[in-house]
Amino acid sequence: MNSLAMSRLNINSKHGEDPSNDICPVCKSNRYLNPSLQFLINPECYHKMCSTCVDRIFTSGPAACPVPHCGKTLRKKGFHKAFFESLSIEREVDIRRKVASVFNRRQEEFESLRLFNDYLEDVENLVFDLVEGRGKVRQAAEKKLEQYRLGNMKEIEENERTEKEEAEMEKLRETNQKEAARRRRLANQQEELEEKAVVAKAARDTLEQLANDEGHAEEITKRAERIILKGAGPRRRQFEKPVEANGSADGSLTIRGLKKKEAPTKDMPYDPFGGLNVAPTKYVLQKDYESQWLAGVKKNENNHLTGGYSLPEYYGRAMFEAFSGLSVFIEDEKEADPKQSPSAAVATEAAVLAVGVMMEIDDVF
Amino acid sequence: MKLLSSNQPSMATTPADSPDRSIDDFAEQMNEAEKNKYTKGRKLGEGTYANVYLGTLKSDPTKLVAIKKIKIQTDYKEGMAPDAIRELKHLQELSHPNIISLLSVFSSKDQNLNLVLEFLPLGDLEMLIKDTKNIRYGAGDIKAWMGMLSRGIYFCHANFVLHRDIKPNNLLIADDGEVKLADFGLARSFADPYRPMTSNVITRWYRPPELLFGTQHYSGAVDIWSVGLVFAELVLRMPYIAGDTEVHQVNLLTQAVGTPTEENWPGVSKLPAYTVPLPHTPVREKDYYNQMFGTAGIVGVDLLMQMLVLDPSKRITAKEVLNHDWWYTDPKPTRNKNLPRKGGGEEAVVADLKRRPGVVEDERTAKIARKLDFGNMA
């Protein structure tokens, strides 16, 4: 008996026998008298009232909430039907939606997953303050939210746009996939029909041949089988290929769609040299140098010049090698910084010297 | 070789190099220390020339490196393979964002040379060019890639190094989209006057006419020709001059660019291997290029034409390339992070690293052994 009573109680509460679900707290009108009773709420204060009350009180403009001690000014426009039965959940969802539209940073904007998670935690704390906080805590949280919104307006809008684009991309991808699947199905059907036709034709041919030819009956049937098999192979392969192609094409589409626009960086003018300057500092490279040794090259001996041998390149290298290492005093650097290994500059110079040495053994190749 | 070990990326020498016993031990120790900085991971792939392993830094296991272990080659029993030496010698000198960085070198127990290279996970330019189905790119992207390639080449030339094997699959892509010049297996420093160099370098499709005609004295212009052909290939999305043999290459080249003659290239007929098909094709005019490479824009076509000048002495230099107007005209070069990329993964990286330098690898040539003529080098 006891358990039966319990279960009935449960059922009752589920069905909302709770009087607040049937009686408007403002005008006390009853669902029994007015079956189309509909409750509306306003996210300003989440006080529930029936649609008749909303019409009655707020049609002529904003007015105070009729619930005693509330006093919030409400507008008719703000009223809507509650989606959740529990108003506290309704409120939390509304708050979350509002916060999410402001704190819409994306993972790609963060340097590491760790930092992104930290950010999510901060946002969750803020949500908690807004939902559960009372008085000052809540006010502070609200202020924080508003400040962030004003401070990051541009980025928020940009992320919103990205999200929208992504949603569209996703939709497009889905429709594409559906279309591809439909085409595949059609192709499949076509394929089956064709195959049947081939088999039927082969059977007809075999019968005809058996009737007309004087060839061996078994041989004719075997030949027919071969023809059917031969036809089926290539057709099957042909049809498998595009499926594969579709798959990969879709894959790349998603990747492109997911490509993120990061926060705009400063637009620097393009420098083709990438900041590299190798102009010599210790000497000025001349266009031409007089040298007995180079006379042969200048006279195009052995097709030096025809083959493109470049004297300026040679001048550049010869001068560079002649001057490399000058005014570098390894002793000084050692004294200045005794503990550390030779600085990068020294190492570079050493490398330069090494090049010189290796030039000598270059002949091998 | 002692000087080598004091260089910037600390290099360990192979013990066999020094006769002195104490130095021998010291070198051994350095090598051991260098070797112990890295953990050799699983093998990524095997090629004829080298095996490639994924490696990590022992001090920071999240840092990936590619360890290229050069195989002992049967042709070079005495000492190391020239490819390996060339790569090592030049990479250790060149430090630039558009050149693959050599982090370290050490030898392992069987005297195998191990090059520790930057791990570039996003494949190479060739993959992007070939994948016409999934990858789409525009003039801005081409400009960005060409910009990085030109910087890399300018840096090589400014440091007196000829790369001699520029082609799309030697242009690797770092995970930030930066293009890096790799595979210095055929590189050498600028030659002195009267000292011949071999003309049998640069993968055939990207080989300039002077090398096809067998010149032994050439300059950075040979690399520029290759850069020009990479440019053309980026626009066309297929190799522009793809000959099956050297003769075929010359034929296609004359059709595509024009016949090299005494008028447009004084002295060319005296080059050792000068043969051109008859009748002569006049050098292609601007209209032809504009029609074929319109995507690059008029200014871009102008740059391309200057890179593909037949006479190497009139060809644009790397520095002049970077001073060209194209870099400043619209569209702007795409930012690295927005460049199209492909999730090529490590297979491509491996394919790039284990390849032999200087050869076109397709079905036709796969079985033909590479020929590098070191014999005529004085």
Side-chain angles (χ1 to χ4, degrees):
Chain A
M1 270 309 270
N2 205 2
S3 71
L4 192 72
M6 282 281 284
S7 69
R8 184 184 279 163
L9 233 171
N10 274 343
I11 289 166
N12 283 350
S13 68
K14 243 184 220 161
H15 276 267
E17 205 88 332
D18 175 14
S20 72
N21 255 345
D22 280 327
I23 299 171
C24 169
V26 178
C27 64
K28 313 292 182 206
S29 74
N30 200 315
R31 194 183 287 281
Y32 181 72
L33 297 171
N34 177 9
S36 65
L37 191 69
Q38 203 184 35
F39 291 106
L40 298 179
I41 50 145
N42 191 313
E44 279 292 317
C45 62
Y46 290 93
H47 287 129
K48 183 160 82 165
M49 59 195 85
C50 70
S51 51
T52 340
C53 283
V54 171
D55 284 340
R56 184 170 51 84
I57 302 171
F58 300 101
T59 307
S60 52
C65 176
V67 175
H69 311 302
C70 174
K72 283 249 166 73
T73 310
L74 308 179
R75 285 155 208 279
K76 195 182 172 188
K77 212 177 136 197
F79 281 93
H80 61 85
K81 241 178 102 179
F83 186 83
F84 296 97
E85 199 173 336
S86 157
L87 288 180
S88 64
I89 291 181
E90 176 83 24
R91 177 165 163 266
E92 187 177 336
V93 169
D94 280 348
I95 289 173
R96 280 184 181 281
R97 195 174 294 138
K98 200 166 128 200
V99 171
S101 74
V102 173
F103 285 91
N104 60 357
R105 294 252 175 226
R106 307 162 63 81
Q107 192 184 331
E108 311 81 53
E109 290 176 60
F110 290 88
E111 274 168 24
S112 69
L113 182 64
R114 176 71 209 249
L115 291 172
F116 180 57
N117 282 334
D118 288 350
Y119 158 82
L120 288 181
E121 193 182 338
D122 286 346
V123 172
E124 198 52 40
N125 283 337
L126 186 79
V127 169
F128 183 83
D129 284 352
L130 285 172
V131 173
E132 305 287 339
R134 294 266 166 267
K136 274 195 185 150
V137 179
R138 189 150 120 206
Q139 270 167 19
E142 262 162 18
K143 205 174 152 200
K144 224 198 263 176
L145 180 71
E146 187 58 19
Q147 265 175 355
Y148 179 85
R149 194 180 69 80
L150 292 176
N152 298 283
M153 203 95 90
K154 214 171 133 198
E155 278 138 339
I156 291 171
E157 269 171 28
E158 199 146 296
N159 279 338
E160 219 170 294
R161 212 174 320 124
T162 329
E163 250 161 60
K164 233 182 251 166
E165 270 167 26
E166 250 168 48
E168 268 164 31
M169 220 48 177
E170 181 62 24
K171 225 192 254 167
L172 190 75
R173 203 180 60 85
E174 239 167 64
T175 42
N176 277 351
Q177 246 168 9
K178 267 187 200 156
E179 175 64 19
R182 195 183 63 82
R183 243 181 280 143
R184 263 200 309 272
R185 242 189 344 266
L186 275 181
N188 242 342
Q189 281 170 358
Q190 185 78 19
E191 173 84 3
E192 263 169 42
L193 281 179
E194 270 173 30
E195 214 158 286
K196 267 184 200 156
V198 169
V199 173
K201 187 172 174 288
R204 241 191 350 264
D205 287 354
T206 322
L207 277 181
E208 255 170 49
Q209 267 176 328
L210 282 174
N212 301 338
D213 278 18
E214 51 268 29
H216 207 280
E218 250 177 57
E219 215 170 81
I220 290 169
T221 24
K222 249 185 210 156
R223 209 187 309 148
E225 266 167 25
R226 263 206 303 279
I227 288 171
I228 294 171
L229 286 176
K230 229 198 279 173
R235 246 176 292 126
R236 193 153 281 152
R237 250 170 277 137
Q238 208 176 41
F239 140 80
E240 267 160 12
K241 252 190 212 151
V243 178
E244 212 176 13
N246 269 336
S248 55
D250 278 349
S252 80
L253 190 62
T254 8
I255 289 163
R256 274 194 85 88
L258 285 170
K259 208 179 198 176
K260 298 307 177 305
K261 276 181 260 154
E262 277 164 40
T265 43
K266 244 198 284 171
D267 214 10
M268 298 275 280
Y270 185 73
D271 173 16
F273 286 84
L276 180 74
N277 182 12
V278 292
T281 49
K282 300 193 185 75
Y283 55 90
V284 179
L285 196 61
Q286 306 291 320
K287 278 214 171 75
D288 195 19
Y289 291 87
E290 277 301 318
S291 165
Q292 199 66 48
W293 188 50
L294 297 175
V297 177
K298 287 183 182 169
K299 269 189 266 159
N300 198 14
E301 224 170 69
N302 270 333
N303 294 316
H304 266 76
L305 300 180
T306 315
Y309 188 82
S310 161
L311 275 175
E313 277 181 4
Y314 173 69
Y315 296 146
R317 201 191 86 197
M319 290 297 281
F320 178 84
E321 281 168 10
F323 280 83
S324 61
L326 285 189
S327 79
V328 174
F329 300 101
I330 298 177
E331 291 303 318
D332 290 356
E333 304 204 12
K334 265 187 192 160
E335 274 167 32
D337 198 351
K339 268 181 205 155
Q340 277 191 0
S341 56
S343 72
V346 179
T348 321
E349 291 304 330
V352 167
L353 285 174
V355 175
V357 172
M358 287 193 302
M359 294 292 178
E360 295 308 308
I361 56 169
D362 200 19
D363 313 27
V364 187
F365 311 115
Chain B
M1 279 309 255
K2 258 192 287 171
L3 255 171
L4 260 181
S5 54
S6 69
N7 284 343
Q8 200 167 11
S10 53
M11 300 295 165
T13 46
T14 45
D17 288 334
S18 73
D20 189 334
R21 187 67 204 153
S22 65
I23 292 179
D24 188 7
D25 286 342
F26 179 59
E28 194 90 54
Q29 279 168 21
M30 277 182 67
N31 183 45
E32 220 31 52
E34 205 55 46
K35 192 167 141 192
N36 286 334
K37 280 189 196 161
Y38 303 95
T39 324
K40 199 185 262 181
R42 65 205 162 80
K43 194 194 239 178
L44 295 176
E46 181 161 356
T48 44
Y49 164 61
N51 288 343
V52 183
Y53 299 86
L54 184 69
T56 51
L57 244 152
K58 270 201 184 130
S59 52
D60 180 4
T62 57
K63 289 252 165 22
L64 294 177
V65 294
I67 299 179
K68 180 172 178 176
K69 184 172 171 184
I70 312 286
K71 286 187 172 176
I72 295 176
Q73 293 188 350
T74 41
D75 326 1
Y76 304 102
K77 284 202 180 91
E78 317 278 315
M80 289 184 284
D83 301 341
I85 298 200
R86 288 193 149 130
E87 180 141 27
L88 163 64
K89 177 171 129 189
H90 294 107
L91 274 184
Q92 69 173 331
E93 302 300 338
L94 299 171
S95 158
H96 186 267
N98 297 116
I99 292 171
I100 191 168
S101 45
L102 178 70
L103 304 170
S104 172
V105 177
F106 59 84
S107 71
S108 46
K109 52 180 183 295
D110 35 4
Q111 301 241 336
N112 269 342
L113 198 57
N114 290 263
L115 310 187
V116 183
L117 294 161
E118 204 178 350
F119 184 62
L120 301 173
L122 288 180
D124 57 57
L125 269 192
E126 191 195 23
M127 286 164 45
L128 296 181
I129 293 172
K130 273 192 176 164
D131 192 357
T132 46
K133 211 189 292 165
N134 297 316
I135 306 280
R136 254 167 245 159
Y137 55 74
D141 305 322
I142 294 177
K143 194 177 288 188
W145 285 325
M146 285 302 293
M148 291 186 271
L149 167 58
S150 307
R151 277 177 198 169
I153 271 304
Y154 171 60
F155 189 77
C156 288
H157 290 183
N159 287 286
F160 320 112
V161 171
L162 297 173
H163 183 278
R164 301 201 298 183
D165 198 11
I166 292 167
K167 53 180 169 178
N169 57 10
N170 277 345
L171 300 171
L172 311 191
I173 302 172
D175 56 0
D176 60 352
E178 194 82 14
V179 168
K180 300 198 182 228
L181 201 48
D183 199 342
F184 280 66
L186 287 178
R188 66 159 291 152
S189 43
F190 288 181
D192 283 338
Y194 312 109
R195 183 167 285 174
M197 296 180 271
T198 171
S199 61
N200 208 345
V201 283
I202 304 191
T203 306
R204 192 192 314 115
W205 296 351
Y206 306 92
R207 201 177 294 166
E210 65 266 31
L211 291 186
L212 289 166
F213 294 152
T215 184
Q216 293 190 314
H217 304 280
Y218 47 87
S219 64
V222 295
D223 283 338
I224 299 298
W225 178 274
S226 310
V227 172
L229 285 177
V230 171
F231 188 7
E233 187 165 340
L234 278 169
V235 176
L236 299 178
R237 299 203 71 156
M238 57 176 193
Y240 183 39
I241 310 179
D244 294 336
T245 60
E246 260 137 70
V247 176
H248 189 210
Q249 184 72 17
V250 173
N251 286 352
L252 291 182
L253 193 151
T254 54
Q255 282 161 31
V257 183
T259 308
T261 57
E262 283 293 330
E263 283 86 64
N264 56 39
W265 184 354
V268 64
S269 58
K270 297 201 184 62
L271 288 179
Y274 177 76
T275 39
V276 286
L278 290 169
H280 288 181
T281 318
V283 173
R284 296 289 184 184
E285 297 291 324
K286 193 143 201 157
D287 292 341
Y288 174 83
Y289 284 94
N290 272 330
Q291 196 188 344
M292 194 124 178
F293 302 97
T295 335
I298 291 173
V299 191
V301 165
D302 178 69
L303 176 60
L304 175 64
M305 281 181 72
Q306 291 191 55
M307 286 173 172
L308 297 185
V309 169
L310 290 169
D311 185 346
S313 60
K314 293 181 196 125
R315 208 173 292 152
I316 194 167
T317 65
K319 189 173 181 183
E320 286 159 3
V321 167
L322 291 177
N323 278 324
H324 197 267
D325 283 340
W326 189 50
W327 311 109
Y328 303 106
T329 53
D330 280 335
K332 277 191 171 179
T334 314
R335 284 174 190 290
N336 281 358
K337 60 170 189 281
N338 296 333
L339 282 171
R341 57 185 62 190
K342 179 171 178 167
E346 60 195 32
E347 296 123 59
V349 180
V350 178
D352 282 327
L353 288 182
K354 70 189 184 191
R355 206 183 314 108
R356 265 176 173 282
V359 279
V360 183
E361 281 192 1
D362 57 7
E363 297 83 340
R364 281 192 301 267
T365 53
K367 291 203 178 86
I368 302 167
R370 186 183 53 142
K371 203 176 71 192
L372 259 180
D373 189 7
F374 296 103
N376 58 9
M377 307 293 318

Coordinates of all heavy atoms in Angstrom, one line a residue, chain A residues 309-351:
Chain A
Y309 N 80.4 31.8 -66.4 CA 81.3 32.0 -65.3 C 81.3 33.5 -64.9 O 81.5 34.3 -65.8 CB 82.7 31.5 -65.5 CG 83.6 31.6 -64.3 CD1 83.5 30.6 -63.4 CD2 84.4 32.7 -64.0 CE1 84.2 30.6 -62.2 CE2 85.1 32.8 -62.8 CZ 85.0 31.7 -61.9 OH 85.7 31.8 -60.7
S310 N 81.1 33.8 -63.7 CA 80.8 35.2 -63.3 C 82.0 35.7 -62.5 O 82.3 35.3 -61.4 CB 79.5 35.3 -62.5 OG 79.5 36.5 -61.8
L311 N 82.7 36.7 -63.1 CA 83.9 37.3 -62.4 C 83.4 38.1 -61.2 O 84.0 38.0 -60.1 CB 84.7 38.2 -63.4 CG 85.7 37.4 -64.2 CD1 86.4 38.3 -65.2 CD2 86.8 36.8 -63.3
P312 N 82.3 38.8 -61.3 CA 81.8 39.5 -60.1 C 81.7 38.6 -58.9 O 82.0 38.9 -57.7 CB 80.5 40.2 -60.5 CG 80.7 40.4 -62.0 CD 81.5 39.3 -62.5
E313 N 81.1 37.4 -59.1 CA 81.0 36.4 -58.1 C 82.4 36.1 -57.5 O 82.5 35.9 -56.3 CB 80.3 35.1 -58.6 CG 78.8 35.2 -58.7 CD 78.2 33.9 -59.2 OE1 79.0 32.9 -59.4 OE2 77.0 33.8 -59.3
Y314 N 83.3 35.9 -58.4 CA 84.7 35.5 -57.9 C 85.3 36.7 -57.1 O 85.9 36.5 -56.1 CB 85.6 35.2 -59.1 CG 87.0 35.0 -58.7 CD1 87.3 33.9 -58.0 CD2 88.0 35.9 -59.0 CE1 88.6 33.7 -57.5 CE2 89.3 35.7 -58.6 CZ 89.6 34.6 -57.9 OH 90.9 34.4 -57.4
Y315 N 85.1 37.9 -57.6 CA 85.6 39.1 -56.9 C 85.0 39.1 -55.5 O 85.7 39.3 -54.5 CB 85.2 40.4 -57.6 CG 85.9 40.6 -59.0 CD1 85.2 41.3 -60.0 CD2 87.1 40.1 -59.3 CE1 85.7 41.5 -61.2 CE2 87.7 40.3 -60.5 CZ 86.9 41.0 -61.5 OH 87.5 41.2 -62.7
G316 N 83.7 38.9 -55.4 CA 83.0 38.9 -54.2 C 83.6 38.0 -53.2 O 83.9 38.3 -52.0
R317 N 83.8 36.7 -53.7 CA 84.3 35.7 -52.8 C 85.8 36.0 -52.4 O 86.1 35.9 -51.2 CB 84.2 34.3 -53.5 CG 84.3 33.2 -52.5 CD 84.4 31.9 -53.1 NE 85.8 31.6 -53.3 CZ 86.3 30.7 -54.1 NH1 85.5 30.0 -54.9 NH2 87.6 30.5 -54.2
A318 N 86.6 36.4 -53.3 CA 88.0 36.6 -53.0 C 88.1 37.7 -52.0 O 88.9 37.6 -51.0 CB 88.7 37.0 -54.3
M319 N 87.4 38.8 -52.2 CA 87.5 39.9 -51.3 C 87.0 39.5 -49.9 O 87.6 39.8 -48.9 CB 86.6 41.1 -51.8 CG 87.2 41.8 -53.0 SD 88.8 42.5 -52.7 CE 88.4 44.0 -51.8
F320 N 85.9 38.7 -49.9 CA 85.3 38.3 -48.6 C 86.3 37.5 -47.8 O 86.5 37.7 -46.6 CB 84.0 37.5 -48.9 CG 83.4 37.0 -47.6 CD1 82.5 37.7 -46.9 CD2 83.7 35.7 -47.2 CE1 81.9 37.3 -45.7 CE2 83.1 35.2 -46.0 CZ 82.2 36.0 -45.3
E321 N 86.9 36.6 -48.6 CA 87.9 35.7 -47.9 C 89.1 36.5 -47.4 O 89.7 36.2 -46.3 CB 88.3 34.6 -48.8 CG 87.3 33.5 -48.8 CD 87.5 32.5 -49.9 OE1 88.5 32.5 -50.6 OE2 86.5 31.7 -50.1
A322 N 89.5 37.5 -48.2 CA 90.7 38.3 -47.8 C 90.4 39.0 -46.5 O 91.3 39.2 -45.7 CB 91.0 39.2 -48.9
F323 N 89.2 39.5 -46.4 CA 88.9 40.3 -45.2 C 88.3 39.6 -44.0 O 88.1 40.2 -43.0 CB 87.9 41.5 -45.6 CG 88.6 42.6 -46.3 CD1 88.9 42.6 -47.7 CD2 89.0 43.7 -45.6 CE1 89.6 43.6 -48.3 CE2 89.7 44.8 -46.2 CZ 90.0 44.7 -47.6
S324 N 87.9 38.4 -44.2 CA 87.2 37.7 -43.2 C 88.1 37.4 -42.0 O 89.3 37.1 -42.1 CB 86.6 36.4 -43.6 OG 87.6 35.5 -44.1
G325 N 87.6 37.6 -40.8 CA 88.4 37.4 -39.6 C 89.1 38.6 -39.2 O 89.7 38.7 -38.0
L326 N 89.2 39.7 -40.0 CA 89.9 40.9 -39.6 C 89.2 41.6 -38.5 O 88.0 41.6 -38.5 CB 90.1 41.8 -40.8 CG 91.2 41.3 -41.8 CD1 91.4 42.4 -42.9 CD2 92.5 41.0 -41.1
S327 N 89.9 42.2 -37.7 CA 89.4 43.0 -36.5 C 88.5 42.1 -35.6 O 87.7 42.6 -34.9 CB 88.6 44.2 -37.0 OG 87.3 43.9 -37.4
V328 N 88.8 40.9 -35.6 CA 88.1 40.0 -34.6 C 89.2 39.5 -33.7 O 90.2 38.9 -34.2 CB 87.4 38.8 -35.2 CG1 86.9 37.9 -34.2 CG2 86.3 39.3 -36.1
F329 N 89.1 39.8 -32.4 CA 90.2 39.4 -31.5 C 89.6 38.4 -30.5 O 88.9 38.8 -29.6 CB 90.8 40.6 -30.8 CG 91.4 41.6 -31.8 CD1 90.7 42.7 -32.2 CD2 92.6 41.3 -32.4 CE1 91.2 43.6 -33.1 CE2 93.1 42.2 -33.3 CZ 92.4 43.3 -33.7
I330 N 89.9 37.2 -30.7 CA 89.3 36.1 -29.9 C 89.8 36.3 -28.4 O 89.0 36.1 -27.5 CB 89.7 34.8 -30.4 CG1 89.2 34.6 -31.8 CG2 89.2 33.7 -29.5 CD1 89.6 33.3 -32.5
E331 N 91.1 36.8 -28.2 CA 91.6 37.0 -26.9 C 90.7 37.9 -26.1 O 90.3 37.7 -25.0 CB 93.0 37.5 -26.9 CG 94.0 36.5 -27.5 CD 94.0 35.3 -26.6 OE1 94.0 35.4 -25.4 OE2 94.1 34.2 -27.2
D332 N 90.3 39.1 -26.7 CA 89.5 40.1 -26.1 C 88.2 39.4 -25.6 O 87.7 39.7 -24.5 CB 89.2 41.2 -27.0 CG 90.4 42.0 -27.3 OD1 91.4 41.7 -26.7 OD2 90.3 42.9 -28.1
E333 N 87.6 38.7 -26.5 CA 86.3 38.1 -26.1 C 86.4 37.1 -25.0 O 85.6 37.0 -24.1 CB 85.6 37.5 -27.3 CG 85.5 38.5 -28.5 CD 84.5 38.2 -29.5 OE1 83.7 37.3 -29.2 OE2 84.5 38.8 -30.5
K334 N 87.5 36.4 -25.0 CA 87.7 35.4 -23.9 C 87.8 36.1 -22.6 O 87.3 35.7 -21.6 CB 89.0 34.7 -24.2 CG 88.8 33.3 -24.9 CD 90.1 32.6 -25.0 CE 90.0 31.4 -25.9 NZ 91.3 30.9 -26.4
E335 N 88.6 37.3 -22.6 CA 88.7 38.0 -21.3 C 87.4 38.6 -20.8 O 87.1 38.5 -19.6 CB 89.8 39.1 -21.5 CG 91.2 38.6 -21.3 CD 92.2 39.7 -21.8 OE1 91.9 40.9 -21.7 OE2 93.2 39.2 -22.3
A336 N 86.7 39.1 -21.7 CA 85.4 39.7 -21.4 C 84.4 38.7 -20.8 O 83.7 39.0 -19.9 CB 84.8 40.4 -22.6
D337 N 84.5 37.5 -21.3 CA 83.5 36.6 -20.9 C 84.2 35.2 -20.7 O 84.1 34.4 -21.6 CB 82.4 36.5 -21.9 CG 81.2 35.8 -21.4 OD1 81.3 35.3 -20.3 OD2 80.2 35.9 -22.1
P338 N 84.9 35.0 -19.6 CA 85.8 33.9 -19.5 C 85.0 32.5 -19.4 O 85.5 31.5 -19.8 CB 86.6 34.1 -18.3 CG 85.8 35.1 -17.5 CD 84.9 35.9 -18.4
K339 N 83.9 32.6 -18.7 CA 83.2 31.3 -18.4 C 82.5 30.7 -19.6 O 82.5 29.5 -19.9 CB 82.2 31.5 -17.3 CG 82.8 31.3 -15.9 CD 81.8 31.5 -14.8 CE 82.5 31.9 -13.5 NZ 81.6 32.6 -12.6
Q340 N 81.8 31.6 -20.4 CA 81.0 31.1 -21.4 C 81.8 30.6 -22.6 O 83.0 31.1 -22.8 CB 80.0 32.2 -21.9 CG 78.8 32.2 -21.1 CD 77.7 33.1 -21.6 OE1 77.9 33.6 -22.7 NE2 76.6 33.2 -21.0
S341 N 81.3 29.7 -23.3 CA 81.9 29.2 -24.5 C 82.0 30.4 -25.5 O 81.2 31.4 -25.4 CB 81.1 28.1 -25.1 OG 79.8 28.5 -25.3
P342 N 82.9 30.3 -26.5 CA 83.0 31.4 -27.4 C 81.7 31.9 -28.0 O 80.8 31.1 -28.3 CB 83.9 30.8 -28.5 CG 84.6 29.7 -27.9 CD 83.8 29.3 -26.7
S343 N 81.5 33.2 -28.1 CA 80.2 33.7 -28.5 C 79.9 33.3 -30.0 O 80.8 32.8 -30.7 CB 80.2 35.2 -28.4 OG 81.1 35.7 -29.4
A344 N 78.7 33.6 -30.4 CA 78.3 33.3 -31.7 C 79.2 33.9 -32.8 O 79.6 33.3 -33.8 CB 76.9 33.7 -31.9
A345 N 79.6 35.2 -32.5 CA 80.4 35.9 -33.4 C 81.7 35.2 -33.7 O 82.1 35.0 -34.8 CB 80.6 37.3 -32.9
V346 N 82.3 34.7 -32.6 CA 83.6 34.0 -32.7 C 83.4 32.8 -33.5 O 84.2 32.4 -34.4 CB 84.2 33.7 -31.3 CG1 85.5 32.9 -31.5 CG2 84.4 35.0 -30.6
A347 N 82.3 32.1 -33.2 CA 82.1 30.8 -33.9 C 81.9 31.0 -35.3 O 82.4 30.3 -36.2 CB 80.8 30.1 -33.3
T348 N 81.2 32.1 -35.7 CA 81.0 32.4 -37.1 C 82.3 32.7 -37.8 O 82.6 32.2 -38.9 CB 80.1 33.6 -37.2 OG1 79.1 33.6 -36.3 CG2 79.4 33.7 -38.6
E349 N 83.1 33.5 -37.1 CA 84.4 33.8 -37.7 C 85.2 32.5 -37.9 O 85.9 32.3 -38.9 CB 85.2 34.8 -36.9 CG 84.6 36.2 -36.9 CD 84.4 36.7 -38.3 OE1 85.2 36.4 -39.2 OE2 83.5 37.5 -38.5
A350 N 85.1 31.6 -36.9 CA 85.9 30.4 -37.0 C 85.3 29.6 -38.1 O 86.1 29.0 -38.9 CB 85.7 29.6 -35.7
A351 N 84.0 29.6 -38.3 CA 83.4 28.9 -39.4 C 84.0 29.5 -40.7 O 84.3 28.8 -41.7 CB 81.9 29.1 -39.4

